[in-house]
Amino acid sequence: QVQLVESGGGWVQPGGSLRLSCAASGITLDDYAVGWFRQAPGKGPKGVACISRSDSTPYYADFAKGRFTISRDNAENTVDLQMNNLKPEDTAVYYCAAGPSDYVCLGLYTNGMDYWGKGTPVTVSS
């Protein structure tokens, strides 16, 4: 049985940092393109970052560029999202997802992801 489990969410003040981690069981994340998505209250899901299967190229939404970094830890079978200089508008539930094709990273598409975690909440406020 495949499971993706996100961790590392919580409350942080504006300008602070959090590191989210997506841990997998039942699959090897290095065999998949892995994305991070978020859903704010009352809004639809939005792509944040993705790391390709083929060569671990990172892709970022415009709002994430320069502040967020996605990376793999193959030894731990995780994909992490380092988030710096957080803003109140970053408040959302953050989900990780894994898909077989790098195509999903090109547009940070939610379609094409085979496996999803249940999410970890992030709150940025003073």
Side-chain angles (χ1 to χ4, degrees):
Q1 184 179 359
V2 176
Q3 279 192 314
L4 300 182
V5 179
E6 302 91 341
S7 62
W11 172 83
V12 65
Q13 291 184 332
S17 298
L18 285 173
R19 187 175 185 89
L20 306 184
S21 186
C22 174
S25 58
I27 59 171
T28 300
L29 287 180
D30 198 34
D31 294 334
Y32 290 81
V34 180
W36 281 95
F37 301 83
R38 71 186 189 185
Q39 187 163 14
K43 298 186 177 180
K46 182 178 293 187
V48 177
C50 190
I51 190 162
S52 72
R53 169 187 180 180
S54 57
D55 59 4
S56 293
T57 297
Y59 297 81
Y60 298 100
D62 284 345
F63 63 81
K65 290 177 182 176
R67 298 191 299 131
F68 296 2
T69 303
I70 189 171
S71 62
R72 294 185 184 274
D73 186 336
N74 292 333
E76 296 293 327
N77 200 25
T78 63
V79 171
D80 297 336
L81 184 69
Q82 177 68 41
M83 305 189 295
N84 298 327
N85 190 22
L86 284 161
K87 305 175 181 181
E89 51 264 41
D90 295 317
T91 295
V93 178
Y94 284 71
Y95 301 86
C96 68
S101 171
D102 284 347
Y103 177 75
V104 298
C105 284
L106 296 180
L108 298 175
Y109 300 120
T110 56
N111 292 335
M113 290 297 191
D114 287 352
Y115 306 109
W116 288 83
K118 294 184 178 180
T120 185
V122 171
T123 302
V124 185
S125 73
S126 54

